[in-house]
């Protein structure tokens, strides 16, 4: 399989056009070098700005969180090598996670979601530099920025359907959520697993992999679960951003209860680690 896969992997090329037949018919894919490929189905696994989704004119639904995420690499002097931390605060949602060693040094990646209102009078780099000591104090460590500070607008998206004729969307191509969940890749893995299971089940019953029933089964099994995760993260972000006193009170009680009740804490940790497949 490995050999066949490498024989059939095409680099330095892009999909230019897809003529997608009704399910059960082949699709014709034209690449940027004008090579034409006939295939039973096209699975778009090309991330948040999926070209396959654009070519297929899938109907997108998106929503901005009015937040900007800053992401960069840091070195720390006093954090556990194998632990990730997430701090919910007025200064934003700050996540710090262990990353592979760089030049022998222990590094961490930071993903810091900041309300756009806080960035009205300052740029993101100055905001990060001016406020990082708040999290140093919270974590009891010195944090040294090690890389460029990259930033992007936080937007979620999903599609009304994951299947159109013989085109299928998988992973971030089909849906993306707020990074606070730490769930993006797990949802994508679960999509890929269910998609493969459906193809294999169909194969065992002598069904072609592009039969509508097979592709749709994948969509039915995954779309509602992905949407539930996306909506629950939206609720979480909205609750967190709310200035309503009662909402704030309930949120704070909720967060500290999760922190104190081991069973709930473990449930959240297991979800973030992908152990409880949603
Ligand atoms: C800052 C940040 C932090 C995150 N933290 C976490 C986390 O802690 N936990 C977690 O689970 N998730 C996290 N995520 C989300 C996670 O990275 C994504 O959900 C995951 O990478 C999606 O995987 P994917 O394979 O679907 O898409 P991608 O990882 O986006 O991969 C798509 C691939 O397709 C390629 N591609 C794109 N367009 C084309 C084209 N036209 N032709 C050919 N190839 C193309 C791209 O180069 C890329 O290699 C984070 C995301 C960000 C941005």
């Amino acid at each position: 399989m490995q050999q066949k896969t490498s024989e059939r992997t095409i680099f330095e090329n892009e999909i230019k056009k897809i003529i997608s037949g009704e399910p059960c018919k082949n699709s014709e894919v034209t690449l940027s070098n004008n090579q034409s490929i006939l295939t039973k189905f096209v699975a778009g696994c090309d991330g948040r700005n999926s070209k396959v989704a654009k070519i297929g004119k899938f109907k997108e639904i998106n929503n901005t969180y009015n937040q900007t995420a800053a992401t960069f690499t840091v070195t720390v002097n006093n954090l556990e090598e194998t632990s990730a931390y997430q701090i919910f605060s007025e200064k934003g949602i700050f996540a710090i996670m262990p990353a592979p060693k760089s030049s022998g040094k222990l590094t961490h990646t930071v993903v810091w979601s900041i309300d756009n209102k806080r960035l009205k009078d300052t740029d993101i780099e100055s905001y990060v530099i001016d406020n990082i000591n708040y999290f140093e104090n919270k974590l009891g460590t010195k944090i040294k920025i090690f890389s460029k500070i990259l930033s992007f607008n936080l937007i979620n998206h999903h599609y009304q359907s994951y299947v159109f004729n013989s085109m299928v969307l998988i992973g971030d191509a089909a849906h993306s959520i707020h990074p606070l969940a730490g769930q993006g890749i797990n949802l994508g893995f679960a999509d890929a697993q269910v998609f493969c299971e459906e193809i294999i089940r169909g194969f065992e019953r002598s069904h072609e992999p592009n039969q509508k029933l097979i592709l749709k089964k994948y969509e039915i099994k995954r779309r509602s679960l992905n949407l539930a995760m996306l909506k629950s993260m939206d609720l979480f972000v909205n609750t967190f951003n709310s200035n309503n006193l009662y909402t704030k009170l309930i949120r704070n009680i909720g967060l500290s209860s999760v922190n104190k009740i081991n069973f709930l804490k473990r449930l959240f940790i297991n979800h973030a680690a992908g152990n409880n497949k949603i």
Side-chain angles (χ1 to χ4, degrees):
M1 257 184 87
Q2 221 165 25
Q3 195 190 345
K4 289 253 182 247
T5 315
S6 64
E7 274 170 16
R8 292 178 178 203
T9 307
I10 302 167
F11 292 101
E12 304 296 328
N13 246 303
E14 260 204 307
I15 290 178
K16 214 166 71 179
K17 194 166 131 196
I18 303 170
I19 300 172
S20 167
E22 295 283 326
C24 290
K25 288 195 190 140
N26 289 343
S27 285
E28 188 183 349
V29 177
T30 311
L31 302 181
S32 47
N33 65 353
N34 288 327
Q35 184 184 349
S36 172
I37 298 169
L38 275 184
T39 173
K40 293 214 182 282
F41 63 83
V42 179
C45 317
D46 46 351
R48 169 74 185 84
N49 298 309
S50 167
K51 197 155 181 191
V52 173
K54 287 192 182 92
I55 293 174
K57 297 199 167 57
F58 283 75
K59 285 203 177 69
E60 189 182 29
I61 301 165
N62 56 39
N63 173 39
T64 174
Y65 291 112
N66 293 316
Q67 288 180 349
T68 302
T71 183
F72 46 92
T73 315
V74 298
T75 53
V76 292
N77 66 348
N78 196 19
L79 273 189
E80 259 197 59
E81 261 183 56
T82 51
S83 296
Y85 299 82
Q86 186 149 245
I87 300 172
F88 294 84
S89 79
E90 300 298 318
K91 292 186 187 286
I93 303 168
F94 183 93
I96 182 162
M97 296 156 277
K101 277 191 176 157
S102 174
S103 338
K105 272 191 194 158
L106 180 67
T107 61
H108 281 69
T109 308
V110 169
V111 182
W112 183 351
S113 317
I114 304 157
D115 208 289
N116 285 346
K117 278 185 253 157
R118 292 189 168 263
L119 298 171
K120 257 201 322 219
D121 303 319
T122 181
D123 62 278
I124 189 111
E125 221 170 295
S126 312
Y127 184 89
V128 166
I129 290 161
D130 293 345
N131 290 286
I132 200 150
N133 67 328
Y134 175 86
F135 298 103
E136 288 180 318
N137 292 338
K138 287 259 173 209
L139 292 164
T141 184
K142 269 251 143 296
I143 300 176
K144 201 165 148 215
I145 300 172
F146 189 68
S147 70
K148 254 176 92 172
I149 298 170
L150 303 176
S151 65
F152 54 96
N153 286 330
L154 282 172
I155 294 168
N156 72 34
H157 88 289
H158 66 105
Y159 283 95
Q160 267 178 9
S161 168
Y162 292 178
V163 178
F164 176 69
N165 286 345
S166 46
M167 286 189 267
V168 187
L169 300 178
I170 294 174
D172 268 28
H175 47 77
S176 60
I177 60 172
H178 197 289
L180 84 85
Q183 281 295 316
I185 197 71
N186 293 326
L187 297 181
F189 283 154
D191 284 358
Q193 185 176 350
V194 169
F195 184 68
C196 292
E197 279 166 7
E198 290 310 322
I199 298 282
I200 291 166
R201 193 166 297 136
F203 177 78
E204 283 165 356
R205 292 173 187 168
S206 310
H207 294 317
E208 289 287 342
N210 53 355
Q211 280 200 4
K212 192 170 186 172
L213 187 71
I214 292 178
L215 301 183
K216 272 284 170 194
K217 258 191 180 168
Y218 152 69
E219 179 186 291
I220 290 164
K221 284 193 172 170
R222 290 303 307 155
R223 191 173 173 277
S224 51
L225 289 175
N226 289 334
L227 203 56
M229 178 59 91
L230 190 142
K231 292 287 173 201
S232 52
M233 280 310 117
D234 282 7
L235 181 75
F236 200 85
V237 174
N238 289 337
T239 314
F240 196 77
N241 278 343
S242 170
N243 285 324
N244 182 298
L245 197 67
Y246 295 108
T247 314
K248 272 181 159 179
L249 190 71
I250 294 169
R251 175 193 80 202
N252 291 344
I253 293 171
L255 277 177
S256 69
S257 312
V258 170
N259 206 24
K260 279 181 198 141
I261 301 171
N262 261 341
F263 156 73
L264 281 178
K265 202 168 172 178
R266 193 130 300 280
L267 189 85
F268 277 89
I269 290 169
N270 271 336
H271 263 300
N275 295 338
N276 294 346
K277 194 171 74 180
I278 181 166

